[in-house]
Amino acid sequence: MTTIERAFVKSGRNTIIHKEKKYDLVIVNGENHPKIRVTSEGLQPFKESLPRNRREAKERYMEVVQIGSPDVFGEEKQLLFLQALDGREYKVDYSKIGTKLFVRVHQESYM
């Protein structure tokens, strides 16, 4: 059985660590929540269409992270922490969508 190399590592019950600068992560937490792009410079909204498959995602230099899939967390999350390559840990609170508290810096330097 081969292990697929991923551009992220999951930590604990609700933390995603971005580990590869070459690929952006697209965080998908269910159909009703906004999608987030994790880049080497931080977080931004993802407004494009999602790649149809893994190959198309790699061609666009991104990896789609389905939070609810069994190989990630197995369920949608209300609170998610994202460690980006800019040295910051972001707190994403899906109960505060549409406010300035939806995405904020949780820790300035986690490294």
Side-chain angles (χ1 to χ4, degrees), residues 18-32:
H18 187 197
K19 69 174 191 171
E20 192 170 333
K21 190 173 189 172
K22 181 179 177 183
Y23 294 103
D24 292 345
L25 301 179
V26 178
I27 306 298
V28 180
N29 190 21
E31 294 296 318
N32 300 325

Side-chain angles (χ1 to χ4, degrees), residues 12-77:
R13 297 182 320 162
N14 61 351
T15 303
I16 298 286
I17 302 169
H18 187 197
K19 69 174 191 171
E20 192 170 333
K21 190 173 189 172
K22 181 179 177 183
Y23 294 103
D24 292 345
L25 301 179
V26 178
I27 306 298
V28 180
N29 190 21
E31 294 296 318
N32 300 325
H33 297 248
K35 294 158 188 61
I36 299 170
R37 174 178 263 176
V38 182
T39 69
S40 59
E41 287 89 38
L43 274 59
Q44 55 189 239
F46 184 74
K47 306 262 186 213
E48 306 167 31
S49 64
L50 282 175
R52 292 183 305 243
N53 53 41
R54 188 171 169 87
R55 191 184 94 206
E56 183 182 325
K58 292 291 183 190
E59 288 172 358
R60 291 168 59 182
Y61 297 100
M62 62 179 64
E63 182 167 345
V64 177
V65 181
Q66 297 277 355
I67 297 299
S69 70
D71 62 330
V72 182
F73 293 121
E75 63 184 2
E76 291 182 19
K77 295 292 183 178

Side-chain angles (χ1 to χ4, degrees), residues 1-19:
M1 181 176 207
T2 63
T3 306
I4 298 172
E5 184 63 31
R6 313 282 316 246
F8 70 94
V9 176
K10 63 180 183 165
S11 175
R13 297 182 320 162
N14 61 351
T15 303
I16 298 286
I17 302 169
H18 187 197
K19 69 174 191 171

